[in-house]
Amino acid sequence: ANVGPVQVSFNGMNIWTGDAYAEQAAYTDHAYTQQSSVRRGNTYTISVNTEVNKQNVRVFIDYNNDGDFADAGEQVFSHNGTSIPETHSGSITIPATAVTCAYLRMRVVSVFYSSTPSDYACGPYTYGQAEDYGVYVVSDTPAVTSPVTLCQGATASALTASGSNLKWYTAATGGTGVTALIPSTATIGSTPYYVSQSGDGSATCESSRSALVVNVIAAPAAPAVTSPVTYCQGAAASAL
């Protein structure tokens, strides 16, 4: 039957695949060739095009990477068809509990509008098709305490952030990260530094960068004193 997604768009992926009739398959696996990187807490637009028949669309993501779509919250989009052809569109927010640093399956299912499969995620489909795609959840942005204030000429320690496999940069984008960065205190002023983390240590899973500002201020002047102070032997002395 002419049922199934013919185009799927999600965060940089824009895939024309053809429906079940065109592909001669009720299931197609694009998870290793069509992939998108996302971040926990971010919201992304999903768009699924269908043709020929009115169709109902469901989208699932295996957020805990346990090999099924049966867990709470793993059906991430639902839209019932009303027209021919039709663009089914909405948004998907990646939860804080999603597994990071792993390719998760996103399943896009489209069935004939009057068809009611007992299991939308896994079928069987009398008139319908399922397609799988890959979603890679990168690491969260590391937490920092900013600004850090140092006196000019003081001996600084390496900057710190909360995270694992940290990389420090002197620019918001580009450059080569280092595992430890000690800021200079030679000159008065404010300097931004940037830090990312990677849950598994790979560049693929590296997070976006958090900014940490280091303020270098003038060292306080030495206090004024009156010197010397003279006392008679045995006199009661006051605090200096």
Side-chain angles (χ1 to χ4, degrees), residues 193-231:
Y193 298 95
Y194 304 88
V195 60
S196 68
Q197 70 167 323
S198 174
D200 63 0
S202 71
T204 304
C205 197
E206 187 174 357
S207 72
S208 57
R209 301 175 189 179
S210 296
L212 187 157
V213 175
V214 174
N215 293 326
V216 178
I217 62 174
V225 299
T226 301
S227 180
V229 176
T230 303
Y231 288 100

Side-chain angles (χ1 to χ4, degrees), residues 27-110:
Y27 169 75
T28 55
D29 188 357
H30 307 290
Y32 297 99
T33 59
Q34 304 296 335
Q35 300 165 340
S36 178
S37 293
V38 298
R39 301 184 188 280
R40 296 194 294 194
N42 285 9
T43 299
Y44 304 90
T45 298
I46 180 80
S47 177
V48 180
N49 286 356
T50 56
E51 295 179 347
V52 183
N53 295 290
K54 286 192 293 185
Q55 299 178 46
N56 298 338
V57 171
R58 304 290 186 268
V59 179
F60 305 83
I61 298 178
D62 182 14
Y63 282 131
N64 62 357
N65 202 25
D66 68 345
D68 63 48
F69 303 99
D71 301 283
E74 291 191 337
Q75 179 177 300
V76 297
F77 175 72
S78 174
H79 184 263
N80 292 336
T82 58
S83 61
I84 306 170
E86 187 164 8
T87 298
H88 311 255
S89 60
S91 61
I92 296 172
T93 300
I94 309 302
T97 54
V99 170
T100 61
C101 304
Y103 282 102
L104 310 180
R105 283 187 178 268
M106 179 176 76
R107 180 159 297 174
V108 180
V109 179
S110 185

